[in-house]
Amino acid sequence: SYVLTQSPSVSVAPGKTARITCGGNNIGSKSVHWYQQKPGQAPVLVIFYDSDRPSGIPERFSGSNSGSTATLTITRVEAGDEADYYCQVWGTSGDRPGVFGGGTKLTVL
Amino acid sequence: QVTLKESGPVLVKPTETLTLTCTVSGFSLSKARMGVSWIRQPPGKALEWLAHIFSNDEKSYSTSLKSRLTISKDTSKSQVVLTMTNMDFVDTATYYCARVPEWLDAFDIWGQGTMVTVSS
């Protein structure tokens, strides 16, 4: 089955840029979606199709995907961005199962 | 306004069957190209996708849990139902349903989640 690998944690100072990566075999050939989850809340879609933002998501959130790594970039990080971030793709085996990464905890210092 | 709301038992015993219901509003399950998935999250752990039902009633299941899961929908009630057999302590989790517009291919709207504890 397809595996997505995320670093467990990323720390960044307010106003700086955070980069959260998601590794997978030839992930650049897949569409990657990113979700933000704050404590006690359901996840929220922040990036779809590698780099598109849903309405209401700040332009500070962007995404890229190439080769074996997809990246979620958050510029001008704010305290309110502190959350867990998950990448997600759909697998290519028969049932086309959903696959999530293990999640990255973003800490704003 | 599009909403999804999960409902079901808070507590189940080991070996029992869990039945969860996702009631949707603001969109139709019979509408073309609109699907719903179930996803769970054990306390302090990552999200795990479980099952998906497409607008044409095709179903997709987690490979590791396929033998225990059944997903179905009742469009007249605007409900998607997930059953999971032979519950175990490790199935303790918050269970979410989420909408997947097939042109978007992502979980764009999530329910609030329902916590299910497996305990004897």
Side-chain angles (χ1 to χ4, degrees):
Chain A
S1 61
Y2 195 78
V3 176
L4 295 174
T5 302
Q6 297 184 242
S7 298
S9 63
V10 167
S11 299
V12 63
K16 301 298 185 182
T17 297
R19 292 180 179 84
I20 298 170
T21 60
C22 176
N25 183 28
N26 197 27
I27 195 173
S29 68
K30 297 181 179 297
S31 294
V32 179
H33 313 300
W34 290 91
Y35 304 87
Q36 175 194 69
Q37 186 181 32
K38 296 182 179 179
Q41 298 183 19
V44 172
L45 179 67
V46 294
I47 292 289
F48 63 95
Y49 285 141
D50 298 340
S51 59
D52 290 337
R53 275 178 292 104
S55 61
I57 301 301
E59 292 183 8
R60 301 184 297 104
F61 288 79
S62 63
S64 63
N65 184 20
S66 179
S68 61
T69 304
T71 303
L72 172 68
T73 301
I74 310 171
T75 58
R76 302 184 302 282
V77 167
E78 303 173 356
D81 298 331
E82 187 162 289
D84 293 325
Y85 291 86
Y86 293 91
C87 56
Q88 180 256 320
V89 301
W90 294 95
T92 52
S93 59
D95 259 7
R96 198 173 176 260
V99 181
F100 285 97
T104 297
K105 168 69 176 178
L106 175 65
T107 299
V108 181
L109 301 170
Chain B
Q1 182 187 6
V2 173
T3 63
L4 298 90
K5 187 171 184 178
E6 306 87 351
S7 59
V10 174
L11 183 67
V12 298
K13 291 181 168 53
T15 75
E16 288 186 340
T17 293
L18 172 69
T19 299
L20 294 173
T21 301
C22 174
T23 303
V24 310
S25 63
F27 72 100
S28 172
L29 292 174
S30 61
K31 183 177 180 180
R33 304 184 68 201
M34 196 70 72
V36 172
S37 272
W38 282 95
I39 297 138
R40 72 178 179 180
Q41 185 173 39
K45 296 190 176 182
L47 301 168
E48 178 184 19
W49 177 84
L50 299 176
H52 183 80
I53 190 162
F54 294 85
S55 57
N56 63 1
D57 212 38
E58 286 189 19
K59 292 117 179 176
S60 174
Y61 295 100
S62 162
T63 302
S64 61
L65 293 168
K66 188 170 186 175
S67 63
R68 299 173 53 205
L69 296 173
T70 302
I71 191 170
S72 62
K73 64 179 176 178
D74 184 334
T75 56
S76 66
K77 294 182 179 179
S78 295
Q79 292 179 335
V80 176
V81 176
L82 180 76
T83 62
M84 179 180 289
T85 61
N86 195 24
M87 292 291 285
D88 184 84
F89 302 114
V90 299
D91 296 315
T92 293
T94 297
Y95 287 75
Y96 297 98
C97 58
R99 187 181 79 161
V100 183
E102 286 162 25
W103 64 88
L104 186 67
D105 213 27
F107 307 109
D108 72 333
I109 307 291
W110 295 63
Q112 64 190 20
T114 185
M115 178 67 193
V116 178
T117 299
V118 182
S119 175
S120 54

